[in-house]
Amino acid sequence: MTSTTSVTHEQIESLSKEIEAHSNPFRELIAEVGNTIVGQEVLIHRMLVGLLANGHLLIEGVPGLAKTTAVACLAKGIQTDFQRLQFTPDLLPADLIGTLIYRPQDQEFVVQKGPIFSNIILADEINRAPAKVQSALLEAMQERQVTIGSHTYPLDEPFLVMATQNPVEQEGTYPLPEAQMDRFMLKVVVNYPNRDQELEILERMSTTNPQIATKAVTSPAEILGARKLVDRIYVDRKVQEYIVDLVIATREPKAYGLALEEFIQYGASPRATINLTLAAKANAFLHGRGHVLPADVKEIALDVLRHRVILTYEAEAEEKTSEDIVRTIMDAVPVP
């Protein structure tokens, strides 16, 4: 269901009722993960958006903010396979995707599949691995398949990569190139909890053996079914134009009355337009609606665009961040 087809109010209402019923397990999943993770509501919500929109997440935050625990809780709540990969400078592509092993007794090579063959992958500190390993992971993310020797193996669906990186420590790291950053649907910045949340963390987790007590509330099959509903969610022409305006404003800010040309080296690509639309649809799904509101777009736009706007040296000299630029654009582009 798209805006180019003639969609009646009754059809949208019918779809909304269907989505309301099917989105309940996902709202339960958010609550279930929230029972273990304190104060990371945005991260938990964005993980569900990525899962429903078939997109990957780049999670940035200092150590100790429960990024790994949040991903582990999500996997438990879905009752699916989960692999945590610690990226290090000596990691090889074969350590990730697998390799061919020779068996002398059979005089033949057999495939030894790597940990990438899982539903949910946590790529911990992705910027610690060299470019070859990063490329192997990003190829799997984009193509949803892995080539070992002369054979290509499809990855199981749903397949979701959540990569973390530490913004503080830069020594011994290999920063992701801009073209590879663009493969991530969302970049989520995880911040410190507030005082009340910190007290709750203290009460809940200050034991010698803290437990992850997340129970399974949905399944991979339900996720794949939910994605079909996400595809049917209606996006009005005016909302589509709003999405396109937000993206084009990162390339041509002058056309929107913004004096930002000297700060932007490259704007967001058409992939950003597609990802913003899908993420807004997933957001509408989680709210139990069969249509996208401008508020769905605005809520998710910063996470879709912040890693796609490449700044100039002038912006860095004036200590402007891509987040500042995106916020300025979002304030300036009129909401329908």
Side-chain angles (χ1 to χ4, degrees), residues 11 25 33 68 80 116 119 121 135 143 177 213 219 228 284 299 318:
Q11 285 175 308
V33 176
T68 304
T80 189
I116 195 77
N119 293 110
I121 303 291
S135 296
E143 307 298 332
S219 66
K228 291 178 182 176
E299 184 182 346
E318 294 198 22

Side-chain angles (χ1 to χ4, degrees), residues 131-310:
K132 274 188 178 181
V133 179
Q134 292 177 5
S135 296
L137 175 68
L138 293 162
E139 181 187 4
M141 287 164 52
Q142 186 72 11
E143 307 298 332
R144 299 298 201 282
Q145 62 184 30
V146 166
T147 302
I148 304 173
S150 58
H151 294 283
T152 299
Y153 302 90
L155 295 166
D156 292 338
E157 290 287 353
F159 177 66
L160 179 68
V161 172
M162 299 190 211
T164 69
Q165 63 179 17
N166 179 351
V168 178
E169 203 173 355
Q170 297 302 324
E171 192 172 336
T173 62
Y174 303 82
L176 283 170
E178 285 80 4
Q180 293 184 347
M181 291 267 280
D182 195 45
R183 303 284 179 90
F184 289 95
M185 173 177 276
L186 305 168
K187 180 183 177 183
V188 185
V189 176
V190 181
N191 297 312
Y192 287 114
N194 61 34
R195 187 175 185 275
D196 291 338
Q197 291 165 345
E198 192 100 18
L199 277 168
E200 193 176 340
I201 291 167
L202 183 153
E203 290 171 1
R204 193 182 292 186
M205 304 300 286
S206 58
T207 69
T208 56
N209 187 27
Q211 299 293 319
I212 297 176
T214 308
K215 65 173 187 248
V217 293
T218 187
S219 66
E222 276 192 318
I223 290 164
L224 297 179
R227 284 181 180 176
K228 291 178 182 176
L229 285 173
V230 169
D231 286 338
R232 291 170 55 198
I233 288 176
Y234 175 70
V235 187
D236 187 76
R237 181 72 179 183
K238 287 183 179 178
V239 178
Q240 287 186 339
E241 288 174 356
Y242 177 53
I243 290 169
V244 170
D245 284 338
L246 284 173
V247 175
I248 291 182
T250 67
R251 305 175 208 157
E252 303 168 18
K254 196 173 183 180
Y256 296 85
L258 294 165
L260 297 174
E261 293 95 337
E262 63 175 322
F263 301 131
I264 300 173
Q265 186 173 6
Y266 297 107
S269 71
R271 187 182 277 147
T273 307
I274 296 165
N275 285 347
L276 184 50
T277 306
L278 286 171
K281 283 183 172 186
N283 199 23
F285 178 92
L286 289 171
H287 289 296
R289 276 187 276 100
H291 62 286
V292 173
L293 296 175
D296 292 315
V297 179
K298 199 154 189 175
E299 184 182 346
I300 211 86
L302 183 61
D303 296 314
V304 174
L305 297 174
R306 62 157 51 103
H307 57 299
R308 293 183 158 95
V309 175
I310 313 304

Side-chain angles (χ1 to χ4, degrees), residues 46-82:
R46 300 305 188 262
M47 289 195 300
L48 265 292
V49 167
L51 200 62
L52 290 165
N54 199 17
H56 308 287
L57 275 73
L58 182 62
I59 306 168
E60 187 175 281
V62 297
L65 296 181
K67 300 185 295 291
T68 304
T69 309
V71 180
C73 288
L74 180 72
K76 277 196 169 189
I78 300 169
Q79 203 173 13
T80 189
D81 293 333
F82 163 64

